Amino acid sequence: MAKVAIAMTPPTSGWDMHCHTVFSDGTETPHELVRRAKGIGLHGVAITDHDTTAGWPQAEQASSELGLPLVRGTEITAQDGNVSVHMLAYQYDPRSRRICDLFRTTRAARLARTKKMVALLAKDFPIDWDDVLAQVKEGDQTTIGRPHIADALVAAGVYPDRSAAFADAISSHSKYYIPTPSPSTGDVVRAVGEAGGVSIVAHAADPSRNKVLLSDAQIARLVDEGLDGLEVWHRGNPPEQRARLLMLAERYGLLVTGGSDWHGKGKPNKLGECLTDDATVAEIVRRGAIPLWK
């Protein structure tokens, strides 16, 4: 595989490669994502909703209409030992049976887990499952999860916004929290590879997400299993961890990406606040099974 030169400082122009829409836990449509990306001068943008490709067609239409290139992707929740890991899968064949089965299983597990959490919360807060469903924008095509519970709590007047809910009752440290049953990181890397895609560990060293971070040895094992890169430029990765990830990327010839993890009004993250350079995006597209949409 071609090796891309690693920039040791965050790119100041390029692509936002980590964005969510109403088809998972974002608050804006794919068209609005592309429109805003075009408006702030991004070179292109990636749609990466959780465990689904349902937003791809709308994003493709917007890309064609507005003249902004689009990378198609998905964020997949995985588990590596005692570490919850989010994987970004780019430019894979969405018809791959293995990846379709993985999404179907993961979405069903997410739904069951979310219902159990709501049942626990309903004992202490004025919400029920119908209140959560009222926050879902795209019906059965939406990947439902904790953000929709948070929005239901906001609608009930319990919290002022989603961030406040996540800092309290919806937190992974809350008594109401139930982990998402997830495939292993190795299973995800292999499924993405079989579908001809590119796999990147999202916010690979964010201590706010896990008390224990992926170790150097765990990342090395994922490289052996086919991992393509690490999302280094993300607000959750502190400076010392960015330095560690850059060192590992150089050691193993990994791609280094950046993304805002934008969710519209669902998070304070600003579209385009962390970017991926053009050369890295070109290599992701070159490795992928499907062409860049433009």
Side-chain angles (χ1 to χ4, degrees):
M1 290 186 179
K3 186 174 180 180
V4 178
I6 296 174
M8 303 306 287
T9 56
T12 56
S13 64
W15 299 59
D16 192 331
M17 294 290 283
H18 189 167
C19 303
H20 299 271
T21 77
V22 291
F23 285 93
S24 62
D25 52 349
T27 61
E28 307 296 336
T29 65
H31 187 280
E32 182 65 9
L33 163 63
V34 177
R35 188 191 71 78
R36 293 192 187 194
K38 174 84 171 181
I40 63 174
L42 296 184
H43 299 175
V45 72
I47 181 172
T48 56
D49 283 315
H50 290 278
D51 305 310
T52 186
T53 61
W56 287 17
Q58 284 190 26
E60 291 164 0
Q61 182 179 0
S63 169
S64 298
E65 290 175 356
L66 299 173
L68 186 75
L70 175 75
V71 164
R72 289 162 284 178
T74 301
E75 186 169 10
I76 307 168
T77 302
Q79 195 73 23
D80 199 307
N82 61 343
V83 185
S84 177
V85 183
H86 288 191
M87 313 286 293
L88 292 164
Y90 296 119
Q91 295 295 106
Y92 60 86
D93 181 353
R95 301 166 298 180
S96 165
R97 179 174 295 276
R98 183 169 180 179
I99 209 159
C100 286
D101 288 345
L102 185 148
F103 288 166
R104 190 178 303 111
T105 301
T106 304
R107 281 165 58 85
R110 272 181 177 272
L111 185 62
R113 168 266 200 152
T114 306
K115 287 182 176 179
K116 290 177 182 177
M117 281 190 66
V118 172
L120 291 175
L121 286 156
K123 297 175 182 178
D124 297 324
F125 296 98
I127 65 166
D128 59 22
W129 184 241
D130 286 340
D131 295 318
V132 174
L133 290 181
Q135 310 305 317
V136 174
K137 303 288 180 62
E138 295 294 335
D140 291 343
Q141 292 190 87
T142 303
T143 300
I144 301 175
R146 278 193 297 161
H148 300 100
I149 305 177
D151 291 346
L153 289 166
V154 172
V158 178
Y159 297 103
D161 54 40
R162 188 187 280 184
S163 295
F166 265 89
D168 191 32
I170 309 302
S171 163
S172 60
H173 307 299
S174 163
K175 67 178 183 179
Y176 308 105
Y177 178 75
I178 298 173
T180 303
S182 304
S184 73
T185 50
D187 286 343
V188 171
V189 168
R190 285 186 288 272
V192 174
E194 187 176 298
V198 176
S199 58
I200 307 285
V201 178
H203 34 71
D206 183 350
S208 71
R209 294 172 179 271
N210 286 295
K211 292 180 180 178
V212 179
L213 299 176
L214 277 177
S215 68
D216 292 6
Q218 285 172 303
I219 291 172
R221 192 199 72 248
L222 286 173
V223 172
D224 289 340
E225 292 173 338
L227 181 71
D228 291 280
L230 301 169
E231 185 182 55
V232 175
W233 312 122
H234 183 284
R235 65 159 56 198
N237 296 331
E240 69 278 6
Q241 288 298 332
R242 290 183 176 189
R244 178 177 76 96
L245 296 174
L246 288 170
M247 176 196 70
L248 291 169
E250 286 196 307
R251 178 184 299 170
Y252 298 115
L254 297 173
L255 300 174
V256 168
T257 69
S260 65
D261 206 354
W262 181 77
H263 285 66
K265 293 184 285 291
K267 278 188 176 181
N269 308 40
K270 295 180 180 178
L271 186 65
E273 69 178 25
C274 293
L275 300 172
T276 302
D277 63 273
D278 293 315
T280 300
V281 174
E283 179 60 15
I284 288 171
V285 172
R286 189 193 70 78
R287 294 184 190 185
I290 57 177
L292 181 69
W293 190 276
K294 56 183 178 178

